[in-house]
Amino acid sequence: MGRVHIIGAGLSGLSAAARLADRGEEVVVYESAQQAGGRCRSFYDKHLGCEIDNGNHLIMSGNHAAKKFLDLIGSKDALIGPPFAIYPFVDIRTGERWTVRINEGFIPFWVLDKKWRVPDTKISDYMRAGAIAFAGDEKTVADIVDKDSKLYECFWEPLTLAVLNTTPEIGQAKLLWSVIRETFLLGGQASTPLVAKDGLGPAFIDPALKFIESNGGIVRFGARLKAFWPEGGRVASLNFTDETVTLDEEDSVIFAIPPSRLKQLMPELDPPADDASILNVHFRMAAPVDTKALGAGPFIALISSLAQWVFVRGDVISVTTSAAHAIGADDQPNKEVVDHIWREVSVALDLDGKPYEKSRVIREKRATPDQSPAGAAKRLKLETQYSNLFLAGDHTDTGVPATIEGSIRSGERAAELVLGMTA
């Protein structure tokens, strides 16, 4: 088999490269930036004076592709989480706190227990919401679930925001169901929330680069693809800013790049738009933060607030607001956002007036592709019109939302297609 040229060193590209390198294939990864990871990375922030992630990501214990990838690259111990599936919540408006706990096993006994389900909800609320399993391609989450129930505000809305990075009125119900089917529906053993113990970079990116290179792969940074040249129904050469790479007859290519960049290279394609944004705010404290409000978990979910998910790692509090584009947060000045979110964080973590020392706002303007019914219909197949060119990325038709799990699956499947060329 010839060399495999992978364009993009985000999670999708690294997933494909790691799988191919593990199979003994010759791999070259080209990344236009000076670092790998794309939207899933860690970096040292000079203002805060510490290492932070560009955003917060939850991994579920049922995310088999992500866990298999970590195992492959020698990073299976990089994730931490509670001993069972718990999700702590606080309503900032009322001060009410509760914890949703998913029991082990396939029978959802937690729905029968008032102590573990959402307060003031009935078993019938959950039974009616089961209709999401049969949602058609054109249905949104809000089309299926009861918008007037407390379960909507305290479960379906935060779940949709977190998983689909959009509101229930926009997000495709079928995509959300794909996550529920692989996690919550299987019980606590598949729905325990996990986070990267030391950050996304140390967990996913650094070990992947090391694995690829230790297996003979090459990773080139600052290598921006300007164009490619087809010949005879296949990609014949890749034109980078400072060089042109001519492909041998057996060589293949994987484009693991975002939709907007892919559209520049292949204008004939019509991928989903990738302008769904996420707002992240990091606060550096003078000392490690008391995590009693989190219970046994690494985060707490906020209701009736701009802040949605609050994570604590040592003396850093990291806050995520998904679907910032859909709720107007993209238009709010940084200082206004920081002041607003800090008031909510102080309540959520019961900080008793403790101030933060420094803050850092990170706006991911192109965090995920459009995951509405219309956007989902535009998801691309991994095969292209060129026999040796395949696609990877969370905008491809993986069957799951644009998450870490989806990105890794897309790279894995693109690698399988490459391997199948000579099978």
Side-chain angles (χ1 to χ4, degrees), residues 282-304:
H282 302 273
F283 298 97
R284 181 77 187 269
M285 305 295 289
V289 180
D290 189 338
T291 59
K292 63 179 182 298
L294 308 183
F299 70 92
I300 186 169
L302 279 58
I303 303 297
S304 307

Side-chain angles (χ1 to χ4, degrees), residues 4 6 8 11-23 25 27-29 69 72 208 211-212 215 217-219 254 411-412 415:
V4 184
I6 299 174
L11 265 183
S12 301
L14 295 178
S15 169
R19 179 165 175 77
L20 289 165
D22 183 55
R23 293 289 294 271
E25 305 300 337
V27 173
V28 182
V29 182
F69 173 71
L72 173 65
F211 178 84
I212 293 165
N215 282 274
I218 299 171
V219 181
I254 297 175
E412 187 178 76

Side-chain angles (χ1 to χ4, degrees), residues 163-178:
V163 172
L164 301 184
N165 190 33
T166 194
T167 63
E169 292 80 9
I170 298 174
Q172 189 195 47
K174 190 174 181 179
L175 273 178
L176 185 63
W177 167 247
S178 71

Side-chain angles (χ1 to χ4, degrees), residues 21-54:
D22 183 55
R23 293 289 294 271
E25 305 300 337
E26 189 177 355
V27 173
V28 182
V29 182
Y30 306 86
E31 170 57 49
S32 60
Q34 294 299 328
Q35 71 283 322
R39 292 162 291 164
C40 176
R41 62 187 177 88
S42 304
F43 67 97
Y44 183 81
D45 186 88
K46 293 181 179 179
H47 176 66
L48 294 181
C50 63
E51 185 116 336
I52 59 173
D53 293 336
N54 64 325

Side-chain angles (χ1 to χ4, degrees), residues 64-322:
H64 299 301
K67 293 172 70 175
K68 185 169 67 173
F69 173 71
L70 291 175
D71 191 30
L72 173 65
I73 63 176
S75 192
K76 65 179 181 180
D77 296 326
L79 302 181
I80 58 171
F84 33 76
I86 58 170
Y87 291 83
F89 286 82
V90 58
D91 188 324
I92 298 300
R93 182 181 61 239
T94 65
E96 183 181 14
R97 295 178 183 268
W98 68 93
T99 297
V100 172
R101 177 174 174 179
I102 315 297
N103 63 276
E104 302 291 311
F106 298 111
I107 302 176
F109 291 114
W110 66 278
V111 173
L112 308 177
D113 193 332
K114 291 183 178 180
K115 182 173 63 176
W116 296 124
R117 66 177 186 244
V118 176
D120 302 322
T121 60
K122 303 175 181 178
I123 299 174
S124 57
D125 295 329
Y126 298 85
M127 294 178 65
R128 285 195 298 270
I132 195 171
F134 309 100
D137 293 345
E138 76 287 353
K139 295 295 185 180
T140 68
V141 177
D143 289 335
I144 302 298
V145 301
D146 181 7
K147 292 180 63 177
D148 296 323
S149 71
K150 188 170 183 180
L151 190 62
Y152 178 87
E153 178 187 10
C154 297
F155 184 78
W156 289 111
E157 187 171 37
L159 182 64
T160 304
L161 289 167
V163 172
L164 301 184
N165 190 33
T166 194
T167 63
E169 292 80 9
I170 298 174
Q172 189 195 47
K174 190 174 181 179
L175 273 178
L176 185 63
W177 167 247
S178 71
V179 172
I180 296 172
R181 183 184 65 238
E182 296 185 5
T183 56
F184 295 107
L185 193 66
L186 300 181
Q189 66 270 23
S191 54
T192 300
L194 306 170
V195 297
K197 176 174 57 178
D198 298 316
L200 297 172
F204 289 91
I205 309 307
D206 301 341
L209 292 173
K210 183 178 179 180
F211 178 84
I212 293 165
E213 292 174 338
S214 66
N215 282 274
I218 299 171
V219 181
R220 298 181 181 176
F221 295 109
R224 182 176 179 81
L225 182 67
K226 294 172 60 179
F228 68 93
W229 303 104
E231 184 178 306
R234 58 183 296 277
V235 176
S237 64
L238 301 169
N239 184 13
F240 295 92
T241 303
D242 55 357
E243 69 171 328
T244 295
V245 176
T246 301
L247 274 61
D248 292 335
E249 189 68 29
E250 299 82 11
D251 287 0
S252 53
V253 183
I254 297 175
F255 281 175
I257 51 181
S260 54
R261 180 76 184 105
L262 181 63
K263 184 73 173 174
Q264 294 173 352
L265 294 169
M266 303 181 72
E268 70 275 14
L269 297 181
D270 186 25
D274 60 349
D275 54 0
S277 62
I278 293 178
L279 168 69
N280 297 284
V281 183
H282 302 273
F283 298 97
R284 181 77 187 269
M285 305 295 289
V289 180
D290 189 338
T291 59
K292 63 179 182 298
L294 308 183
F299 70 92
I300 186 169
L302 279 58
I303 303 297
S304 307
S305 59
L306 177 60
Q308 296 166 3
W309 301 89
V310 177
F311 298 77
V312 176
R313 185 187 297 141
D315 59 356
V316 175
I317 300 171
S318 297
V319 184
T320 291
T321 297
S322 298

Side-chain angles (χ1 to χ4, degrees), residues 352-370:
D352 195 26
K354 292 185 179 70
Y356 65 87
E357 289 195 333
K358 299 175 182 178
S359 67
R360 174 78 148 85
V361 177
I362 299 177
R363 298 179 184 270
E364 289 280 351
K365 290 301 183 84
R366 296 185 179 276
T368 62
D370 175 18

